[in-house]
Amino acid sequence: MRAPEFTRSAKIFVAGHRGLVGSALVRRLRATGHHDLVLATSSEVDLRDRGATARFLLDRRPEVIVLAAARVGGIAANAAAPADFLSDNLRIQLSVLDAARALGVPRVLFLGSSCIYPREARQPIKESALLTGPLEPTNAAYAIAKIAGITHVRSVREQDGLPWITAMPTNLYGPGDNFHPTGSHVLPGLMRRFHEAAQSGAHSVTVWGTGTPRREFLHADDLADACLTLLAGYDGPDPVNVGTGRDITIADLARLVAETAGYTGRIEFDPSKPDGTPRKVLDISTLTGLGWEPRIRLREGVAATYAWYLESLDLPRQRGEVRGHEVVR
Ligand code: GFB
């Protein structure tokens, strides 16, 4: 089957629409005139539940699914709960992809993560590096679930001929991120820590690890734009990397976030905390070859995210709400 034209009238299910990625997708889809969106909160449909997911998709019958629902977290959350990261992600993927397959949904975009690539992959990492070496241990369980998702999509392409595709975003940030002090990714985690230190007049802030690892950061709005580019113009079995192609050390990121939050005290490093993978920057030539490029520079994106964070502090918090990248509970 050829990939159907990605029209404004297509009925699109954004799985995980309250998370960092899903909410950016919904913003971008609406801004570009896609009005027929299928959305469901995790309390309406628990995507880990096969039966509930199958009934929901049978009832709504989307023509396009973007699978942005997942259990995600930073290095400490991954290391603390690998069984949850493996199990929840496998279950979400199996529920959604099996139900979509049974209904013959013509177009699925599955979102993975750059941590699927081997820890020692040559940088910048090409899509062809997948499964060429051992994974970074701090997030191997999560990565293996995501690799299962890529293989699932590829297998459906092979067996049923459906034009399903996968994208591998690098480390993401933006409005709607999870700012939990220990469970979050580095950028929102540091934003909160430096903000609180600036407010309290603290003289020192501790950053985990040595500060030497390098990471690439992509704003969620740029990822959303990339997803639309792929839905409109990509149909192949290989995952497509989504990043900026530029990376920064954690120490430099910490200085940038400190400056943004108005913190002027000392920055200390705690090498007893894990560094994780030493470097992770993606080769984005497949995607730039399709005409996409990142638009939001890190400094501007961090400033805008910090402004969002300040606003969110004034919003009433819902009890039990997960302000994560993607919401599963
Ligand atoms: O963002 P992060 O948790 O993700 O950590 P990974 C990146 C780097 O920042 C690590 C350091 O070297 C951390 O030690 N870091 C410094 C901090 N201070 C902090 C802090 O306060 N919080 C956090 N979280 N890190 C994740 C994977 O790995 O990447 C996920 O665990 C996912 O599975 C995600 O794939 C994209 O890049 O190390």
Side-chain angles (χ1 to χ4, degrees):
M1 186 187 200
R2 283 175 54 139
E5 201 185 334
F6 185 53
T7 63
R8 294 212 170 92
S9 57
K11 188 173 191 180
I12 307 165
F13 173 39
V14 179
H17 75 283
R18 298 225 293 198
L20 172 62
V21 173
S23 58
L25 265 164
V26 168
R27 281 195 299 278
R28 188 78 186 118
L29 286 167
R30 287 195 171 132
T32 50
H34 292 88
H35 47 81
D36 197 358
L37 303 186
V38 176
L39 308 173
T41 63
S42 46
S43 50
E44 287 167 285
V45 187
D46 182 344
L47 295 177
R48 294 169 299 187
D49 179 335
R50 282 177 78 78
T53 306
R55 283 190 295 281
F56 172 75
L57 290 180
L58 179 65
D59 179 52
R60 304 297 181 90
R61 292 199 171 258
E63 296 155 281
V64 179
I65 297 178
V66 184
L67 184 38
R71 173 183 279 270
V72 299
I75 191 166
N78 271 268
D84 295 343
F85 278 81
L86 184 83
S87 175
D88 282 349
N89 288 309
L90 285 176
R91 284 189 289 154
I92 291 168
Q93 291 163 199
L94 284 171
S95 303
V96 176
L97 298 178
D98 281 349
R101 185 177 173 216
L103 294 171
V105 174
R107 200 73 162 138
V108 171
L109 169 58
F110 170 71
L111 294 174
S113 161
S114 60
C115 69
I116 57 155
Y117 293 115
R119 177 185 158 90
E120 304 295 341
R122 185 181 301 172
Q123 311 283 324
I125 310 171
K126 288 186 185 299
E127 289 91 349
S128 55
L130 181 63
L131 292 172
T132 57
L135 297 166
E136 156 61 31
T138 52
N139 54 36
Y142 174 77
I144 285 172
K146 289 291 185 184
I147 293 170
I150 298 167
T151 310
H152 197 155
V153 166
R154 270 186 177 159
S155 305
V156 171
R157 287 182 67 92
E158 262 173 48
Q159 199 176 330
D160 299 356
L162 291 171
W164 291 9
I165 54 173
T166 61
M168 296 307 119
T170 193
N171 289 37
L172 300 167
Y173 72 98
D177 209 341
N178 169 14
F179 290 80
H180 189 276
T182 53
S184 71
H185 288 102
V186 60
L187 209 157
L190 291 184
M191 202 169 268
R192 177 173 179 163
R193 205 167 311 144
F194 283 117
H195 170 73
E196 289 174 355
Q199 297 300 302
S200 68
H203 297 299
S204 162
V205 164
T206 303
V207 173
W208 301 350
T210 58
T212 58
R214 302 184 69 92
R215 293 288 184 275
E216 177 189 21
F217 295 95
L218 181 75
H219 194 284
D221 286 346
D222 274 337
L223 171 64
D225 207 30
C227 290
L228 268 62
T229 300
L230 291 171
L231 286 168
Y234 180 73
D235 183 19
D238 291 331
V240 179
N241 289 342
V242 191
T244 62
R246 293 160 149 232
D247 60 357
I248 176 174
T249 64
I250 297 301
D252 283 342
L253 178 78
R255 285 187 269 274
L256 172 62
V257 176
E259 195 185 309
T260 306
Y263 170 79
T264 52
R266 275 196 318 279
I267 299 178
E268 289 176 353
F269 294 90
D270 176 2
S272 72
K273 293 277 196 314
D275 271 343
T277 199
R279 193 173 180 208
K280 198 166 48 168
V281 62
L282 296 177
D283 180 319
I284 55 168
S285 52
T286 304
L287 191 51
T288 53
L290 293 171
W292 173 89
E293 57 180 32
R295 296 202 186 136
I296 305 172
R297 298 175 74 89
L298 185 60
R299 180 172 286 276
E300 294 151 22
V302 166
T305 304
Y306 183 60
W308 182 91
Y309 172 63
L310 293 183
E311 269 175 41
S312 78
L313 294 177
D314 294 332
L315 300 175
R317 292 280 169 91
Q318 282 177 30
R319 248 186 112 232
E321 184 189 10
V322 181
R323 314 192 94 204
H325 172 117
E326 296 117 0
V327 180
V328 295
R329 285 187 291 190

